[in-house]
Amino acid sequence: MTDNTHTPGFDTLCLHGGHVTECNRAHLTPIYASSTYEFDSAEQAAAIFRGEEKGYIYGRWGNPTITEAEERIAMLEAFGLTDADGTPLQLKAILHASGMAAVATMFMGNVKAGECILTHQSLYGGTHEIIEKILPDMGITHTIVDFHDLAAVEAALKADQSIKLMHIETPANPTLQCVDIAALTAIAKVHGVVVTVDNTFATPYLQQPFAFGVDYVVHSTTKFLNGHGTAIGGILVGRDIARMSTALTKTHRLLGGNSNAFDAFLLVNGLRTLSVRMDRHCANAEKVARFLHDHPAVAKVNYLGLEDHPDHATGKKQMKHPGAMLSFELKGGFDAGVKFMNSLKICLNAVSLGTCDTLLSHPASTTHMGVSREQRLKFGITDGLIRMSVGIENVADIIHDLEQAMM
Ligand SMILES: *Cc1c(COP(=O)(O)O)cnc(C)c1O
């Protein structure tokens, strides 16, 4: 990876990005299961503490397995992008115990008491809850605006000088809403507001928010980046290297939401196949979406790749492909949803997404059973809505399974 005359491609970076040959020349960076690291001398310890010499100190602050995951994801998010002066974009990433730990660092490291977060309705449930239930007690408020309405966004920013951060999630649950990252960022930057994007559904293979001038990208690495459903994790990626190395590193270390060597190892190995998995995920999702679209038991399919999705054009503008997530409404409502889930034979009934195998869930009878029907419908979660993360099985088998479960 040190050849200056040739720039490696995305697939190659998935395999080798950030890999450093360790002292025993292990092909794969080992699981560094060590809570602390020895110093050769008091002088070396002091130099490492001062940051003059590279070296690990304590497991909560990082280890070589974690570093590899961080460097690789930073390279993938920066792939092919340049800074304002034309030099290759440099990003810094911090791996966390979960997507939510990364979200917590991102908000708490960027917003103080008395300040406000501007965001939209279609957020991941946990992100919505941290904004609604945790941050207000710390003096951090929020304003929710429909991010499709750029005039409303502009008006909100003009009206409230305390807005310091705009948080975007696109595409998002449950109807795969997609908002214009470039347009939103342009407005935010006029008002000096920090822009953060949750890129979990798309991955850097399909969408690179840093291309549109955003400041931070966050991922639940639990999903497509790990890809195998073997570990929980989250990553915060930032373009201001100095702030990432100081304020955000401090917030990360002191909140204690660090990852661990084993989960980092699983993530690094999952990342090796990201692009080939995504190609298959996407190709299968397109076929599944068309199948559902034409099926008489299905009232509606929410898939960004279908021309009738309201955000189809926005998705096309900023994503390389509409991705592997979709949802659909069964005509038979709640009972049809329950019967359908009980009839699946290959596809799995499970929450989460982005694993190699196809996962489906029926929000009305599971994740949203505690939410009032009226509230649910407001979010687009109808009684017969099924969410689907299309896997990499033979697509004929996925479609056959859906077909027999809808009989
Ligand atoms: C899963 C998810 C999260 C939270 O990540 P965890 O790893 O479960 O903590 C955040 N954002 C999105 C879009 C997600 O899908």
Side-chain angles (χ1 to χ4, degrees), residues 74-299:
M75 285 177 172
L76 296 178
E77 283 291 352
F79 178 72
L81 305 182
T82 50
D83 240 327
D85 61 4
T87 56
L89 181 65
Q90 299 292 319
L91 299 171
K92 184 173 165 61
I94 305 175
L95 190 66
H96 289 69
S98 66
M100 283 315 301
V103 166
T105 297
M106 180 174 78
F107 287 149
M108 291 169 70
N110 281 303
V111 192
K112 303 192 294 282
E115 295 179 343
C116 178
I117 294 171
L118 180 66
T119 191
H120 53 145
Q121 193 64 258
S122 54
L123 295 180
Y124 174 74
T127 309
H128 184 84
E129 283 192 69
I130 197 171
I131 287 173
E132 192 130 273
K133 298 179 180 164
I134 305 285
L135 298 182
D137 288 342
M138 303 167 68
I140 297 166
T141 58
H142 58 276
T143 300
I144 291 179
V145 174
D146 180 356
F147 277 1
H148 292 99
D149 185 348
L150 297 177
V153 171
E154 175 86 62
L157 285 165
K158 270 201 182 122
D160 187 351
Q161 304 296 311
S162 77
I163 296 172
K164 298 293 176 202
L165 185 148
M166 172 192 276
H167 181 64
I168 303 170
E169 185 174 323
T170 182
N173 261 333
T175 52
L176 282 301
Q177 282 195 33
C178 181
V179 294
D180 189 332
I181 304 172
L184 289 163
T185 305
I187 298 170
K189 288 299 154 193
V190 171
H191 296 269
V193 166
V194 167
V195 180
T196 61
V197 176
D198 187 327
N199 202 27
T200 300
F201 274 34
T203 82
Y205 187 59
L206 302 182
Q207 173 172 281
Q208 288 174 280
F210 288 106
F212 310 113
V214 311
D215 300 289
Y216 296 91
V217 162
V218 71
H219 282 275
S220 167
T221 61
T222 312
K223 318 293 168 55
F224 291 103
L225 295 182
N226 170 297
H228 298 73
T230 52
I232 300 285
I235 199 147
L236 177 63
V237 191
R239 80 189 308 151
D240 184 339
I241 308 273
R243 263 188 70 72
M244 282 297 287
S245 308
T246 52
L248 290 147
T249 290
K250 186 169 81 184
T251 307
H252 162 69
R253 288 179 177 178
L254 295 178
L255 287 178
N258 57 286
S259 184
N260 62 81
F262 185 56
D263 288 354
F265 175 84
L266 295 168
L267 172 58
V268 164
N269 286 290
L271 285 168
R272 289 158 70 83
T273 55
L274 176 65
S275 51
V276 285
R277 280 188 287 109
M278 290 311 289
D279 281 343
R280 175 69 78 84
H281 275 295
C282 291
N284 282 1
E286 249 181 78
K287 291 187 184 125
V288 168
R290 304 252 170 231
F291 160 77
L292 290 167
H293 187 263
D294 296 339
H295 198 284
V298 176

